[in-house]
Amino acid sequence: MTNNLTEQKVLEALRSVKDPDLKRDIVSLGFVKNIRIDGGRVCFDVELTTPACPVKDQLKEDCIRSVRNLEGVSGVEVNMKSDVKGRASFETAKVLPGVRNIIAVASGKGGVGKSTVAANLAVALVKAGAKVGLLDCDIYGPSMPLMFGLVGRKPEVTSDERIVPIEAHGVHVMSIGFLTSDKTPVIWRGPMVHQMIQQFLTRVAWGKLDYLILDLPPGTGDAQLTLTQTAELSGAVIVTTPQEVSLVDARKGLQMFEKVKVPVLGIIENMSYFSCPDCGKVFEIFGRGGARKISEELNVPLLGEIPIDPAIVETGDRGMPMVAARPDSLTAKVYGIVARAIAAQMSIANMKPDMAKAVDFQWKTKGA
Ligand SMILES: Nc1ncnc2c1ncn2[C@@H]1O[C@H](COP(=O)(O)OP(=O)(O)OP(=O)(O)O)[C@@H](O)[C@H]1O
Ligand SMILES: [Mg+2]
């Protein structure tokens, strides 16, 4: 039996597979590579823009289904790969060359769980297969040494006097906490903070990273503004709790990033609800849904709702982010979903910079 199967026919079939986030077919997106046809067997690679693609499995299934339907096909093998896209200048950038995407985790208000979110997102992205750095930008109250079990550790310095981040749970971590003693309180003044941040961004040997997560200090003041401007951010996510006071602050955070033209990838609601492990009931202690409301009002994605979980505090204090300590827990799964949503939004923003920057923040709510 002759087989008329050609590369062209395979590509034609794959045009029916659409990336639901990028809203285009995977052939025109250039994701399909390396097609090999051997008799009735078809083998090809699908190269996504992030290993943390939330619809990776679905895309793979769709690919198999569409090619299997072709006449003469006896078997299909798809290799899912990824090559993280980043800011256009990532190889030659003055600040943080080699870092493809710089994503800030911010909040208007302190204590909403920003550092916990940043730590868990970083570990979740590593688990998905990405190279990830985490910069603790909180000069006054660094959290990452404790959260990653690195208290007392000192980073090495390269021969050209650059500081090497410390690796924990696969994440390359850098924090002012590694450079100061916890016994002496550090009194930082404005210009020193500025200088320190500059050093973090220019004198740390980050190497090649797909994502550098910045854990910003709380608020939307000068330190945050300096940081967002110096770091050439690729995107920002805002963490909020459901309470109104925190939501008002979250809106201020959104406004700050709009001013400096950084795409807001979305909002995360932390301490959204409590799911009782004994009775299975869900309690919305602080009133869930505030972040969803802002996301609808301001037309930015809701990236996820993270439950209140006492294990977060316990594992955090033991130097193990939840995603590393209890990967099978509901909370770790939610962090994973949020991490994939962020990766997807970052890919969208990189592909369609105009669309991301055009997010229209209309202040529909009085008093924001
Ligand atoms: N979903 C959650 N459930 C229970 N506890 C949480 C949750 N998220 C964070 N926490 C706890 O809340 C406290 C504050 O969290 P975290 O330090 O991450 O907040 P932050 O926003 O970074 O604070 P700061 O503004 O001081 O930097 C920590 O003790 C943390 O373990
Ligand atoms: Mg913090």
Side-chain angles (χ1 to χ4, degrees), residues 110-116 138 147 218 270-271 306-309 312-313:
V112 296
K114 208 168 22 329
S115 302
T116 312
D138 198 336
M147 283 189 187
N270 188 31
M271 310 198 202
I306 300 166
I308 298 169
D309 185 343
I312 291 180
V313 184

Side-chain angles (χ1 to χ4, degrees), residues 24 66 105 149 232 236 239 245 310 328 340:
R24 269 169 63 192
S66 66
V105 178
E232 298 175 15
V239 182
V245 56
D328 297 326
R340 289 192 288 279

Side-chain angles (χ1 to χ4, degrees), residues 21 48 50-58 337 339-345:
D21 291 322
L48 303 174
T50 172
C53 174
V55 288
K56 189 151 79 178
D57 296 341
Q58 184 200 320
I337 292 168
R340 289 192 288 279
I342 291 174
Q345 289 303 325

